[in-house]
Amino acid sequence: MAPVPDLAIIGGGFAGTSLALQARLARPDWRVLLFEPAEPGPGLAYSTLEPGHLLNVPAAGMSLFPDRPAHFAEWLAARPDAPRAAPGEPVFAPRRLYGRYLSEQFRAAEGPMLRHVALPVSRLERTGGGFVLRAGEETWRAGRVALAVGGFAAPGGAPPPMFSNPWDPAALRGIDPDAPVLLLGLGLTAVDMLVSLREGGHRGPVLGLSRHGWLPLPHLPRAAPPVAVELPQGCGPLEALRRIRQAQREAAGQGQPWQAVMDGVRPQVQRLWQDWDLAARRRFLRHGRSAWNLHRHRVAPSIGAFLAKQRATGGLEVVAGRLLSWRTAASGAEVVIGRRGGGELRREVGRIIQCIGPDGASAWRQGAPVAGLMERGVVEVEPLGLGLRVAPSGQIADAAGSVVPGLAAIGPLTRGMLWEITAVPEIRAQAAAALAGPLAEPIDPDEEW
């Protein structure tokens, strides 16, 4: 009989991998299982093989380990294929290299106390002494469970020429190199699709459509120290926006960039979000989310230059508005777009690709084991629909509002509580806090199954 694992982690993207490796260091006596059908580490975010898909955070901020901030930068610098930058300039690595880094770190730590189970968990149930997991044809027990699922692409929907999942290889397959392409959404996913099109030899015009017509903004070519911004407790969304804009004006007067102001705001975001009541959060999501994402989630300077060149040469046309209708045609599709300022735009395109990205998708609700837990009332979607209902510690609350002992969520599933929880620095800190908090409850180490 095998001993019951101390911790089972469901999901092996960055969040699950970070939690597993930190558990190995902080709790060396724990037996940890990581359930992930693919290679541990890359997940959806870092599984791309395109060399032009870059991290949107400098390498210096991408370490797996909170207490070793230079770990990834040092790993990267030792590689012969590492990107180089001039002294003082940040390095933005290809995401495929970061995925390799995550995989290597997990495989180096793997052993009797840390195991990878290459199966998806189809069902999770509570028992008197912990949890029972169903994976493939096998049943497992564990004293604690962490849900680290997230980053699900949108499910497939309309047939060609409309593709609702941009990460489906078929989305970019077979496009006439000269055919126009319509990208629905202008965030980071749309940027990836544009890079993939051009690197794949596509020459035709690309039309980018979003509500505001805003393209992602670039990081600074040289790092600048964050500018302190005072956002006191009780500061609502409008007041926070006013203070941020005032700080940007003052910074500009002193020759400091607006990016440095946003970097100064970032450490306060989770605290600010938790201060707001539900009505204030709704106001922010309705009126401020697009502007926040625009300034907060930036692209590498080289990608910013690529986007500028695409627009200047006519390769990329940006339109503010919404897709009113589309129908199949000999060329692919005929689309009707309602412009934001009024009027309609009619075009023929060879392909339509939805680029809402993982944050805009809700496929996690339909995926196992979350869907089953929701059906049985073990977990519940929080009122904003961003993720699961959790306590500030990450401990999951059931439909009755009671926390579930030994069951925690980390990563995007906790966005409703924390909002800013999709980037590496926040997730690795959350993993460390979970090991010291909701996942630290004792179980019987001698129980067997």
Side-chain angles (χ1 to χ4, degrees), residues 186-196 215-216 299 303 306-307:
L186 282 172
L188 300 178
T189 301
V191 173
D192 280 349
M193 292 303 104
L194 181 59
V195 169
S196 294
L215 278 171
V299 296
I303 297 297
F306 163 77
L307 294 174

Side-chain angles (χ1 to χ4, degrees), residues 19 145-147 270 274 388-397 402-411 413-414 417-418 421 426-427 429-441:
L19 179 62
V145 171
L147 292 177
Q270 290 186 354
Q274 291 179 347
L388 296 179
R389 186 188 295 275
V390 297
S393 64
Q395 194 165 9
I396 288 177
S402 301
V403 295
V404 182
L407 182 62
I410 68 168
L413 287 181
T414 64
M417 175 57 65
L418 301 172
I421 193 61
E426 285 80 15
I427 294 177
Q430 185 186 41
L435 290 168
L439 294 177
E441 297 181 3

Side-chain angles (χ1 to χ4, degrees), residues 89-184:
E89 292 185 359
V91 175
F92 291 86
R95 293 209 302 271
R96 61 183 175 84
L97 287 185
Y98 191 68
R100 188 172 303 170
Y101 161 74
L102 298 177
S103 296
E104 285 189 9
Q105 303 312 306
F106 182 88
R107 293 305 180 190
E110 197 171 15
M113 304 301 284
L114 173 60
R115 290 178 54 200
H116 170 218
V117 181
L119 295 169
V121 174
S122 58
R123 188 173 178 87
L124 173 64
E125 295 181 341
R126 298 171 63 185
T127 67
F131 301 87
V132 174
L133 303 89
R134 181 74 174 176
E137 299 300 320
E138 300 183 60
T139 299
W140 309 74
R141 290 185 60 193
R144 308 169 181 85
V145 171
L147 292 177
V149 300
F152 286 15
M162 165 80 83
F163 283 85
S164 57
N165 178 5
W167 305 112
D168 181 349
L172 299 180
R173 187 182 301 139
I175 300 177
D176 184 327
D178 296 306
V181 172
L182 172 61
L183 302 180
L184 300 180

